[in-house]
Structure formats: structure tokens, C-alpha cells
Amino acid sequence: MKTTVKSLEGSRQLLFINGRFVAPKNGNYIASYDPTTSEPWYEFAEADAADVDDAVAAASKAFRDPAWRRMTQTDRGRLVRKLADLVLQHADELAEIETRDNGKLIKEMRAQMRSMPDSYHYFAGMADKLHGETIPVNKLDMLNFNMREPIGVVGMITPWNSPLMLLTGTLAPCLAIGNTVVIKPSEHATASTLALAELITEAGFPDGVVNVVTGTGKSAGEALTRHPRIAKYVFTGSTNTGRRIAGNAAMNLVPCSMELGGKSPHVVFGDVDIEHAVNGVVSGVFAAAGQTCVAGSRCFVEANVYDRFIDALVARTQRIRVGHPMDAETDIGPLALADQLSKVEGYVASGVKEGAKIAAGGKRPQSQDLSRGWYFEPTVMVEAQNDMAFMRDEIFGPVVGVMPFKTEEEMIELANDSNYGLASGIWTQNIDRAMRFANQIEAGTVWINTYRASSFMSANGGFKESGYGRRGGFEVMREFTRLKNIIIDYSGAMQDPFVIRLK
Ligand code: NAD
């Protein structure tokens, strides 16, 4: 892999179409900014409909090409494994690129990149394990079976917060099954996906199996999601964009898998060790500066321990170190975008206006060293109400609203009172209560006495406005295959051509 943080500096990044890096037809490029300094550091190509057409044509051709179509399952699995090994070999360089692009902590990105190959290996193993079934047919001398086959060209649109990790969960199974792909990474963090394209070539995937079109949602994204030759869209991003993409896809009757936003409830009962629960709540909402879809940003605490919990949460929050993401001592880096910083400030101000109080944080850090970047202090808001704007909308920043509850019924009502349904967490030593919560909560993931633990071996996804479709586990294989029903008559008997044979 040639791309490094150093080589990106001041460079112009091209599109990756049909196995080659090519310039956009319109000659346009967009600057990518370093979130720690707000300065531009490289440029990437602004693809439009003409480039997207080329990428889809390359992916369609590759899908039909015997070099891919007739590759054995074992060989396809081998290629995905080769990619896994290359990702592992370049994990630290990929991590540095992502940190520089989106401001997430280097320690977190290294951990993500070093664990990603396991995910590729897991899905590579599925290439030769996917099978259909034989079905009774209620007729003699006939064989009836279902076959699973790849669906075609998959359009993948990714966000900026964990570009490669979020891509891996769908790219790896998609390739293992034999589909081809056009990826549109976020305009706020494109570099790591282009670097991955280099590794895809190095691994030996045939040209056109994976293509990357960079650019804005308005241009490249719209062109991709209106394209008539895409078999499925996999989108990870905000709920509003998801609505727009699902609308475009519907015009061509193309199915989607949607991983969208969240406003997840995090519940604490008085029967737990408070420091332990505080640690969980901090990790749930302040990790990655709150820029995670599963952020536990609405915290409900049993009234009998509420004051004690708030004191401990505020004390812990004040010890969080905001700093440069490359520094191993840093807990919270900058937000990835200037707009994101204004959005967070706006929600904190609106919360205060609606009657909430800031118990910790609430502003940009005062340190001179951080003044050029898009930093915001981890913020605890108390006297929150579930109907305040900052408790209803996804902020995608380091802000938690906390409120007390008295009964389990009241807590469930509050927790479910949201348009979103992505994740949830509960801290209690009472297993009956934890299971009652798990049964009643409207969320695709339930964490009990932990938060943000995840496995590529289990199916994840949202309920309600957090999306539909599942990533991970065997379930994801169904997302990227279609069923074909085949009936063979081996009786040799001539049938009446005007009567359908029901028996
Ligand atoms: P976003 O919706 O602004 O953008 C996501 C992607 O969609 C980008 O590549 C963007 O260019 C593209 N896009 C924008 N408009 C488009 C259009 N009209 N047509 C086609 N593509 C378009 O999201 P973001 O700000 O990059 O990411 C943050 C959001 O992603 C948050 O809401 C977060 O919760 C969500 N997210 C969800 C998950 C999950 O697994 N559920 C994971 C990570 C992030």
C-alpha cells in the first residue's frame, strides 16, 4: 500500500474504477480538512453521474465476467482472506489515515484496524458454506430446490465516523458471496477507503469487483442511489439521508439495508456499584467524542441513587482528557466537522433554554493548544426532560442528558419514548429486571451491565427510525443473496399443456 498520511499531505486523490485510479471526468476536486487544525490537507475527486455510470458499468461487467462469476467458492474465500492479511499488515497506517481524516483517537482506530481482519476471515469462511434446500413437491419424479445466489452490484454508502470498520461488515460478506460493489465513502473521510482499494488490487480481486466513487452526497451519492443497475443499497448514515436514499431506491424497486441514527437509552438501577455504572455510561456516550450511532445519550437513573450518581458522573467527566487524537493519553479528540461542532453547541444552548442545567462541560475547551480544532468538552446535562430537543434528536457529540425515574414502568415508558430504536443499556444486578427490560425495550441491541461491546458474529441493526436490515453473523448472508426456486421433472412423461400440474 503506497498511501500513507505523509503521501496524502497536499495530494489529489483519484477515483477507483475498474481496477484503476482515474481522474473525475469533470476535473473537480474537494478539500478534506484536518479536524485538529481546521486546515485542508488533501483533495479528493468529486465524482458525478458520468463517473458513477462508469463505476456501475465496471461492476456490472465484473459481476458477469467468468473471472469472478465462475471463481470457485474456495478461491473466493481465499481472496477475502488475502485481503484480511493485507489489512492486518497495514493496520497501523490505515489507523493513522482515519485519525487524521476524522479526528478519532489513534488508540481506538488502531484497535479497530487490528481487529478488522478477524471479521474478513469470519465472512471469508462463509463463501463455501452457503447453501439452499430441497423442498417437498407433492408430485412424483420431480425435484424441487431453492438455490442461493449473489444479487449483483451492491451500492454501499458509508459515513465518516468509522469508515473502514463499518464498511467491512458489509463488504466482506458481499465479496465472499460473489457480488460486486460500488462504494461511496463520506466526503468527510475518504482516504482510508481509497487506501483499501489499493489492498483490494494487491489481494488479486479481478478489475471492477470493487469500485470507489468519492464526492458529495448531492452529486455522487444521488447518482448512485438513482442508478437503475444497482441490485441493493447498503447505507450507513443519518436517518434523514436514509429516507432520501430509500425514496430514490424505491423508484427503481431496489431494496435497501439501512443502518441509521440513534438516541439510545442507558438505564442505571440503584442495586449496582455506582462507579462501575458511571464508567459504563461514560464509555457509552463520550467514547469517540459521542460520534457513535449507538451513543447512550439519554441516561435514566433510579431516583434513590440519582444524586450520588450525578456526583460520580460529574467527577469522572471532569477527569476526561480532551486533546490531540494522536496522543495516547487523550480520551476525547475533536469532532470531525466544523458543522458538527456548531450543531453540538446549538443543542446544548437549546437544552439550557428549555430548562436543563449544565453539570459538567458545556463549552469548547479553553486550552490554547486546542483552539484551532473542533473540540468540545464532554457535557453532562441534568434536569433534562425527554421532550427537550437535545433529548429527542441525535446530536452525535459528547452530550448526555440525565433524568431520574421512580418505577420500572416509568423507566420503560421513557426509554421507549423515542423515534429511534438502535441500542440500549441497563445496569442492574437483578436478572429478572434485566430480562424484563430486554423484552420490552424497542431497540435492536440490548446491553446488560456493559455498553458498546460488539461482535461481527451477531446480527446487528435498528428498529423504528434507526433502520432495517442486519449486519453481522449469518443473517447478513441473506441480505446479499437472493433465492431462486428450481423444479426438475425427471419423469419423462408428457403433460396436458393446457392444465397446470398441481399433483
Ligand atoms: P450522512 O447521512 O450525512 O452521510 C452518510 C453518507 O451518505 C455520506 O457518504 C454522504 O455523502 C451520503 N449522502 C448524503 N446525502 C446523500 C444523498 N442525497 N444521496 C446519497 N448519499 C448521500 O451521515 P454522516 O454524518 O456521515 O454520519 C453520521 C450518521 O451516521 C449519524 O446519524 C449516525 O448515527 C449514523 N451512523 C449509523 C450507524 C449504524 O450502524 N446504525 C453507524 C455509524 C453512523
Side-chain angles (χ1 to χ4, degrees), residues 424-444:
S424 61
I426 182 167
W427 293 80
T428 179
Q429 289 303 306
N430 182 331
I431 188 69
D432 302 355
R433 176 187 279 158
M435 281 312 299
R436 280 195 295 274
F437 177 78
N439 284 333
Q440 293 174 75
I441 194 75
E442 292 166 354

Side-chain angles (χ1 to χ4, degrees), residues 174-193:
C174 221
L175 294 177
I177 290 167
N179 296 292
T180 58
V181 181
V182 177
I183 306 165
K184 207 308 264 162
S186 165
E187 56 271 48
H188 305 299
T190 60
S192 60
T193 308

Side-chain angles (χ1 to χ4, degrees), residues 67-114:
W68 184 239
R69 190 70 187 240
R70 296 194 51 79
M71 185 180 283
T72 66
Q73 291 85 347
T74 308
D75 284 345
R76 248 190 355 245
R78 215 189 311 275
L79 269 187
V80 178
R81 284 200 179 87
K82 181 83 196 296
L83 181 58
D85 294 342
L86 289 168
V87 169
L88 186 61
Q89 203 178 314
H90 296 283
D92 289 357
E93 292 131 274
L94 291 168
E96 278 173 28
I97 293 170
E98 290 214 338
T99 290
R100 183 77 193 272
D101 231 5
N102 65 9
K104 285 181 82 171
L105 300 187
I106 188 68
K107 59 185 176 190
E108 163 126 345
M109 298 332 272
R110 277 200 192 115
Q112 276 190 12
M113 298 302 145
R114 289 175 189 174

Side-chain angles (χ1 to χ4, degrees), residues 157-162 166 184-188 215-218 220-223 225 235-242 244-245 248 258-262 291-294 337 340 394 396 420 422 462 466 471:
I157 300 163
T158 53
W160 46 262
N161 59 333
S162 282
L166 292 167
K184 207 308 264 162
S186 165
E187 56 271 48
H188 305 299
T216 62
K218 257 192 196 137
E222 283 283 325
T225 56
F235 173 67
T236 311
S238 61
T239 295
N240 279 342
T241 308
R244 168 107 202 152
I245 290 174
N248 287 349
M258 293 275 164
E259 289 278 342
L260 309 176
Q291 301 169 113
T292 64
C293 50
V294 293
L337 328 173
Q340 200 59 32
E394 183 183 45
F396 226 55
Y420 294 107
L422 192 58
S466 292
R471 313 273 162 97

Side-chain angles (χ1 to χ4, degrees), residues 332-356:
I332 290 190
L335 299 169
L337 328 173
D339 283 357
Q340 200 59 32
L341 178 60
S342 330
K343 181 176 166 190
V344 172
E345 285 178 320
Y347 273 111
V348 169
S350 87
V352 170
K353 217 166 159 194
E354 287 186 271

